[in-house]
Amino acid sequence: MAEPAKHTCLKLELPMGGSESETVFVKGTWYPTRFDISITDGLHAWNCHATEEEVKERASSWDQTVSDYIDLAESYLGFKQSGSVYGFSDAGNGCKRLSWTFEKEGMKLEWRWKCQTSPDTKKTTVEVLDFLMDSNIKLNVKGTFEMSFACDGCKKPRGYYFEEVVWKTQSFDRIKQEAEKCLAQSERLSSEKSEFESEIYGKFVNVLNSKKAKLRELRDRLSKQVASHESPEQEEKEESTDRTESFDEESDNDENKNSDGGYSKDHAASSQPRGRKRK
């Protein structure tokens, strides 16, 4: 047997700073001992599954029974309370924290529940929109039937109201189809954005690598040119050094020869015999 449940949906306009505000829809599914919350802003969606253990622990910490805790949460998330301050803040890692305030015994208290990112954003958003449309249709049908049975003396025939219900139902169906198209378009644009970024990054990496290769090639060419310019200068220095050394050796040899010749001439002169000349 299915567990009995009640459903509610609350539209919240949350301040974002300045005059701007963020609109989210909070759908609640209320069971006797637990509840589920689905939240969407039309583009992103979050879920909160409050288990029996979590609800029991929270209720105990507030000195409440489980049924009282769920009834109080339903009253604030099913209908917007004028004296309550609602919040939907960032909780890190894509999560959000839903909060609302209430007064108890003259004290202002706050309840908070952490909502995880929905694993299927489209499904969660469609479920919230379907619930809103179905609820709106039921309200219109109910009001139309009440008007129909109350207007026996009206000029319009009773069938007019049934035609109006059919027309409104068709209008809601068209709105639902447009919503699904918008969701599909949003997913397609997101996918194209990711593909475009991947392609651009790939091209950028290729261009960067080619520039690096060109710079390495220019650096190698410059090194070779510097080396080629230094080689002739080194050879000229070595040749000049060789010529200088050769010239020095020749000069030393000439000096040695001159020294040997002078010694022989002086020696011959000094070694000539001396005597008296005869008359």
Side-chain angles (χ1 to χ4, degrees):
M1 183 177 179
E3 191 176 4
K6 294 184 291 182
H7 301 278
T8 61
C9 193
L10 175 65
K11 178 183 178 182
L12 292 178
E13 293 184 357
L14 305 171
M16 295 180 60
S19 58
E20 297 182 356
S21 61
E22 178 185 16
T23 301
V24 297
F25 293 90
V26 182
K27 178 180 177 292
T29 304
W30 309 95
Y31 300 96
T33 58
R34 62 184 181 88
F35 61 89
D36 295 328
I37 298 175
S38 300
I39 304 174
T40 180
D41 59 0
L43 183 60
H44 307 94
W46 301 266
N47 292 326
C48 175
H49 302 290
T51 63
E52 294 182 8
E53 291 77 10
E54 291 176 330
V55 173
K56 186 176 180 180
E57 182 180 355
R58 295 279 185 104
S60 176
S61 64
W62 289 93
D63 296 328
Q64 292 179 316
T65 63
V66 172
S67 60
D68 289 341
Y69 185 93
I70 292 179
D71 289 342
L72 185 58
E74 180 186 351
S75 65
Y76 277 85
L77 296 182
F79 304 94
K80 187 174 182 180
Q81 305 295 332
S82 58
S84 179
V85 178
Y86 293 87
F88 193 55
S89 58
D90 187 14
N93 297 326
C95 301
K96 292 282 190 176
R97 183 176 287 107
L98 177 66
S99 62
W100 63 95
T101 61
F102 63 96
E103 290 189 3
K104 183 179 180 180
E105 297 178 357
M107 297 179 61
K108 195 168 187 178
L109 307 175
E110 183 183 51
W111 281 1
R112 295 180 294 179
W113 282 89
K114 188 176 181 179
C115 302
Q116 305 288 337
T117 303
S118 174
D120 192 341
T121 300
K122 180 180 178 181
K123 181 180 179 182
T124 302
T125 303
V126 169
E127 287 177 353
V128 174
L129 292 176
D130 284 345
F131 176 77
L132 288 173
M133 292 179 181
D134 291 341
S135 299
N136 206 350
I137 291 173
K138 290 177 182 178
L139 289 174
N140 279 280
V141 170
K142 181 179 178 181
T144 301
F145 273 106
E146 290 177 353
M147 187 183 297
S148 175
F149 287 111
C151 291
D152 290 336
C154 295
K155 295 181 180 180
K156 294 182 180 179
R158 187 169 297 183
Y160 167 80
Y161 299 104
F162 291 99
E163 292 178 359
E164 186 177 1
V165 170
V166 173
W167 175 78
K168 288 186 176 181
T169 302
Q170 293 175 350
S171 298
F172 283 122
D173 289 339
R174 287 195 298 270
I175 294 174
K176 181 180 178 180
Q177 292 176 0
E178 290 295 329
E180 291 177 351
K181 289 180 180 179
C182 290
L183 288 173
Q185 185 179 10
S186 176
E187 291 181 352
R188 179 176 58 82
L189 291 175
S190 178
S191 177
E192 290 179 356
K193 177 176 176 289
S194 300
E195 293 177 358
F196 175 76
E197 289 178 349
S198 300
E199 183 180 358
I200 289 298
Y201 291 152
K203 290 182 178 180
F204 175 74
V205 169
N206 293 333
V207 172
L208 182 61
N209 291 333
S210 64
K211 294 296 182 183
K212 287 182 178 179
K214 187 67 175 177
L215 289 174
R216 285 194 294 268
E217 181 184 353
L218 293 175
R219 183 187 60 191
D220 295 340
R221 289 172 59 185
L222 180 60
S223 299
K224 292 178 180 179
Q225 289 179 0
V226 172
S228 62
H229 281 84
E230 289 179 351
S231 296
E233 294 178 358
Q234 187 67 23
E235 291 178 358
E236 289 178 0
K237 289 181 180 179
E238 292 177 354
E239 290 178 358
S240 176
T241 304
D242 293 341
R243 287 196 299 269
T244 303
E245 292 177 353
S246 177
F247 177 77
D248 292 339
E249 289 176 358
E250 291 177 358
S251 299
D252 292 339
N253 291 333
D254 291 341
E255 288 177 359
N256 291 332
K257 288 180 182 180
N258 293 331
S259 299
D260 293 342
Y263 172 78
S264 298
K265 186 177 180 182
D266 294 339
H267 180 71
S270 62
S271 60
Q272 189 175 4
R274 297 179 180 177
R276 294 179 178 178
K277 294 182 180 181
R278 295 181 179 182
K279 295 182 181 179

